[in-house]
Amino acid sequence: MARIVLLFSILCTPALAQDEPSESERLVSIIEAWLASPHRDNTSEAFTHWNEEGEVPGTCAVCHSSYGAIDWMRTLAPAPGVIDHPVATGTTVDCAVCHNASAASLISIPFKSGASIDSFGSSAVCAVCHQGRASSQTVNAATDGLEDDVVSGDLGFINAHYAPSAATQMGSLVQIGFEYPGKVYKGQFTHVPNLNTCTDCHNPHSLEVQLDTCTTCHQGVASFKDIRLSPMDFDGDGVTNAGIATPIAALHERLEQAIQLYAKEIAQAPIAYSSHAYPYFFTDINSDGEATEDEAIFPNRYQNWTPRLLKAAYNYQLVAKDGAIYTHNPHYALQLLYDSLESLSESVDLDMTGLMRP
């Protein structure tokens, strides 16, 4: 933080009145935007989780400290998002993470699936962290050789991790979702020229997206969730003019219900989901469909996983943790949700009538 304060004090020199902002005024505006952004929130769990330990482990440091991010870019460590040493606590994603020589020359970004993508341009540094921590390959490795509907004590929930928007935008190119064999999945979700990378849409300092970025083409919409081009009735409700976020949310809710039905009937242990408590899926002790505060604790984590259940739960969590997947890659989300429902329907009675796969 000291280096940010120093930079701020140097830049904040008085400027002559003029019609256009001076360089110092422009930089003050940038710093103020960053100070109000999630990247600067030094009270958040993302940057305080390791305070008691006194160091951030190398498996987490790349995305949860400026020291780790800069070290990874400087050495181009072979493992995506991982360095081989811990770093000190107390930093966030500060100016130096994006404004350093290594970040400026960063081109090809490796992903957990083994794929590397070189089309992010100036947003490449964003993809270092916003790519999740798992992939189809992770799930396949855990479930390989196991019977689809047999509970295995060797299985535990696999978390795709948080805000994996760079990976969801690339879809099947990096296989962030669990992709069922024999299915074809959407690759990179492209918009129009100049609106295809992270910083084309997001302010790189505040991280905000202005709706008027979209309303030139998507006229008459009041929010990002209202945007939709696909005329298909994906969720079978007869409505095709609601934003694409609506059928994604509907299929997501149906998948949660299907997971609960499968867990009860096949895994023989009721399950409940909590969006805030790790590892998110817990034994539903009272079978009310909700992970109550006393249930959403680690000792009560769900442990009756079958491969089929784990795959569906992984996709459920992926869609949950990319809160704007309806913008980043809506058809990929719909494909993952539909295929997860279809897979569960092979073992339990699910009504798939009217559902459509993009």
Side-chain angles (χ1 to χ4, degrees):
M1 183 62 189
R3 55 184 167 175
I4 300 300
V5 172
L6 177 61
L7 176 63
F8 190 85
S9 65
I10 292 172
L11 296 175
C12 292
T13 55
L16 296 175
Q18 52 191 5
D19 292 334
E20 294 296 324
S22 68
E23 183 67 8
S24 61
E25 289 172 330
R26 187 183 70 83
L27 290 170
V28 167
S29 177
I30 287 172
I31 293 172
E32 288 176 342
W34 171 76
L35 286 170
S37 77
H39 278 171
R40 169 60 180 87
D41 185 1
N42 60 0
T43 65
S44 74
E45 180 74 6
F47 303 118
T48 61
H49 181 80
W50 303 270
N51 283 359
E52 289 188 7
E53 288 82 359
E55 62 182 22
V56 186
T59 51
C60 307
V62 175
C63 300
H64 296 278
S65 78
S66 62
Y67 300 138
I70 294 168
D71 279 358
W72 188 90
M73 288 183 282
R74 178 177 53 82
T75 61
L76 287 181
V82 174
I83 53 177
D84 62 2
H85 58 277
V87 302
T89 58
T91 63
T92 59
V93 179
D94 60 28
C95 306
V97 171
C98 299
H99 298 283
N100 68 78
S102 298
S105 62
L106 194 60
I107 297 175
S108 184
I109 303 299
F111 282 76
K112 297 298 180 180
S113 63
S116 291
I117 302 295
D118 60 6
S119 60
F120 286 105
S122 61
S123 296
V125 66
C126 308
V128 172
C129 291
H130 289 282
Q131 60 164 272
R133 301 298 301 268
S135 67
S136 276
Q137 287 74 9
T138 312
V139 180
N140 278 325
T143 59
D144 185 47
L146 302 177
E147 296 185 39
D148 284 343
D149 298 311
V150 176
V151 173
S152 172
D154 293 331
L155 294 178
F157 178 62
I158 297 173
N159 185 28
H161 215 57
Y162 318 111
S165 47
T168 53
Q169 187 200 5
M170 291 296 155
S172 194
L173 295 182
V174 301
Q175 295 185 305
I176 176 65
F178 176 75
E179 301 181 3
Y180 289 86
K183 299 286 189 176
V184 176
Y185 290 89
K186 173 73 175 176
Q188 180 181 1
F189 182 63
T190 55
H191 291 77
V192 294
N194 301 321
L195 286 176
N196 284 318
T197 68
C198 309
T199 54
D200 286 342
C201 298
H202 290 267
N203 180 296
H205 303 108
S206 71
L207 309 184
E208 294 179 339
V209 183
Q210 296 299 319
L211 187 60
D212 58 14
T213 304
C214 307
T215 52
T216 300
C217 296
H218 302 288
Q219 297 180 4
V221 300
S223 77
F224 298 108
K225 289 187 174 183
D226 294 336
I227 296 173
R228 178 175 184 156
L229 293 178
S230 305
M232 296 174 63
D233 182 13
F234 299 110
D235 57 356
D237 67 353
V239 178
T240 59
N241 59 357
I244 198 69
T246 298
I248 291 175
L251 290 187
H252 195 239
E253 182 178 356
R254 290 179 69 150
L255 180 55
E256 182 175 12
Q257 295 168 355
I259 286 171
Q260 290 177 333
L261 179 63
Y262 178 96
K264 179 180 178 181
E265 294 190 358
I266 306 299
Q268 297 292 298
I271 194 171
Y273 176 78
S274 169
S275 62
H276 301 296
Y278 181 85
Y280 307 102
F281 287 95
F282 302 90
T283 300
D284 188 7
I285 298 172
N286 59 9
S287 298
D288 67 350
E290 303 290 335
T292 55
E293 185 175 350
D294 60 319
E295 291 174 332
I297 55 177
F298 188 79
N300 190 49
R301 66 195 181 279
Y302 196 76
Q303 299 184 68
N304 279 49
W305 294 106
T306 72
R308 191 187 304 276
L309 181 60
L310 179 61
K311 293 167 184 176
Y314 175 86
N315 282 342
Y316 180 89
Q317 174 77 337
L318 172 64
V319 174
K321 292 307 176 184
D322 183 351
I325 200 168
Y326 54 84
T327 295
H328 297 137
N329 206 332
H331 288 171
Y332 188 63
L334 288 165
Q335 289 167 344
L336 295 174
L337 293 170
Y338 181 96
D339 292 347
S340 299
L341 283 164
E342 185 179 60
S343 173
L344 293 175
S345 74
E346 296 175 14
S347 299
V348 294
D349 185 17
L350 298 180
D351 184 7
M352 301 285 289
T353 304
L355 303 188
M356 301 183 70
R357 186 183 193 273

